[in-house]
Amino acid sequence: LGMAAPAALQRSVVSPAGRHTASLIFLHGSGDTGQGARAWIKQILNQDMAFQHIKVIYPTAPARPYTPLKGAFSNVWFDRYKICNDCPEHIESIDSMCQGLTDLINDEVKNGIAKNRILIGGFSMGGGMAMHLAFRFHQDLAGVFALSSFLNKDSAVYQALKRNESALPELFQCHGTADELVLYSWGEETNKMLKSLGVSTSLHTFPNLNHELNRTEIEKLKSWIVKKLPVEAPKAN
């Protein structure tokens, strides 16, 4: 028997208050869920991250054996040999998840949302996943954001961009200087590498912030989201 098509990713959705003309996909960090990421942001903002015209989608990564947890099952977007920036990427698991997330993007396109009206990003591993997805497979997306995230030194993303000629989505990055899990220097190096390969990037630094999100960061992210996905003027008949 051939491989069964992967089941559609479970997702938690915040619907737009008005007419849906753009979509945002937020990928949680390792071991979390879409529901969990949504609740975390809601707790920080005292309300859902919601927009007039943008649908916010929080998918959940399927559970899989995760090497840094000695092979225990965890909701992770891909496997890692270890959490460091100078080991090889587990490219097989990254690429198979790019397929599942492409299905999610295609669902939005089927709903009439153009690719340049879709943003993707996430926290920690979710931001790393988003960079693979956008810069390797979906360079026509509106943009990418990566919060407390990094790419390995020899990332497949860098290899793909070395051969690339087309316009690339803009990257919005945030990182705390006190991050003990994903070092600030890893995020900074990722930003410099992508910039040198032609990506328009910004890196917002948060002094004393550990591996977490804070309100200022989410407010900054929201402003950037609305800048990249502005409300569309109603079309004249």
Side-chain angles (χ1 to χ4, degrees):
L1 279 172
M3 284 288 290
L9 296 168
Q10 284 186 304
R11 56 199 89 165
S12 179
V13 175
V14 182
S15 298
R19 193 167 70 93
H20 175 207
T21 66
S23 294
L24 168 73
I25 298 169
F26 189 107
L27 305 179
H28 62 74
S30 59
D32 202 356
T33 60
Q35 218 92 29
R38 174 182 176 176
W40 188 22
I41 289 174
K42 189 171 181 172
Q43 184 196 342
I44 294 168
L45 293 177
N46 292 318
Q47 58 184 14
D48 265 316
M49 181 166 72
F51 302 90
Q52 192 58 34
H53 60 297
I54 306 168
K55 173 181 175 184
V56 185
I57 306 164
Y58 296 95
T60 295
R64 58 157 298 136
Y66 187 48
T67 302
L69 294 179
K70 300 187 170 52
F73 271 71
S74 186
N75 294 89
V76 288
W77 297 110
F78 49 86
D79 198 8
R80 284 193 168 122
Y81 296 105
K82 52 180 193 281
I83 300 171
C84 64
N85 75 336
D86 54 4
C87 53
E89 289 175 321
H90 197 291
I91 200 70
E92 195 186 342
S93 61
I94 292 173
D95 287 359
S96 79
M97 186 50 65
C98 282
Q99 193 44 63
L101 288 164
T102 292
D103 293 344
L104 186 62
I105 291 171
N106 290 342
D107 283 350
E108 292 310 294
V109 174
K110 283 184 201 119
N111 287 330
I113 305 300
K115 290 276 289 284
N116 66 1
R117 297 282 293 166
I118 300 174
L119 276 179
I120 184 151
F123 175 72
S124 192
M125 174 186 262
M129 186 74 234
M131 290 188 276
H132 273 274
L133 191 66
F135 294 128
R136 292 176 57 211
F137 301 103
H138 297 281
Q139 297 180 342
D140 46 355
L141 289 169
V144 193
F145 60 93
L147 316 173
S148 313
S149 307
F150 74 104
L151 290 169
N152 294 22
K153 281 188 196 300
D154 207 17
S155 177
V157 173
Y158 302 149
Q159 310 310 320
L161 294 182
K162 279 174 186 157
R163 304 185 295 270
N164 176 67
E165 296 297 312
S166 58
L168 295 162
E170 183 187 322
L171 173 69
F172 175 94
Q173 232 182 313
C174 296
H175 217 114
T177 58
D179 196 326
E180 287 162 12
L181 186 67
V182 175
L183 303 185
Y184 176 77
S185 60
W186 301 357
E188 191 177 36
E189 195 176 302
T190 299
N191 194 281
K192 284 191 178 128
M193 248 335 255
L194 290 171
K195 191 172 249 151
S196 75
L197 292 165
V199 178
S200 149
T201 68
S202 58
L203 174 58
H204 302 269
T205 301
F206 292 84
N208 310 321
L209 185 69
N210 203 317
H211 196 64
E212 57 194 341
L213 294 171
N214 73 12
R215 189 170 185 141
T216 317
E217 179 181 12
I218 297 172
E219 297 292 0
K220 267 197 165 112
L221 173 63
K222 282 184 71 175
S223 306
W224 179 78
I225 289 167
V226 176
K227 195 181 87 196
K228 298 308 291 179
L229 300 175
V231 176
E232 285 182 333
K235 301 205 179 15
N237 299 347

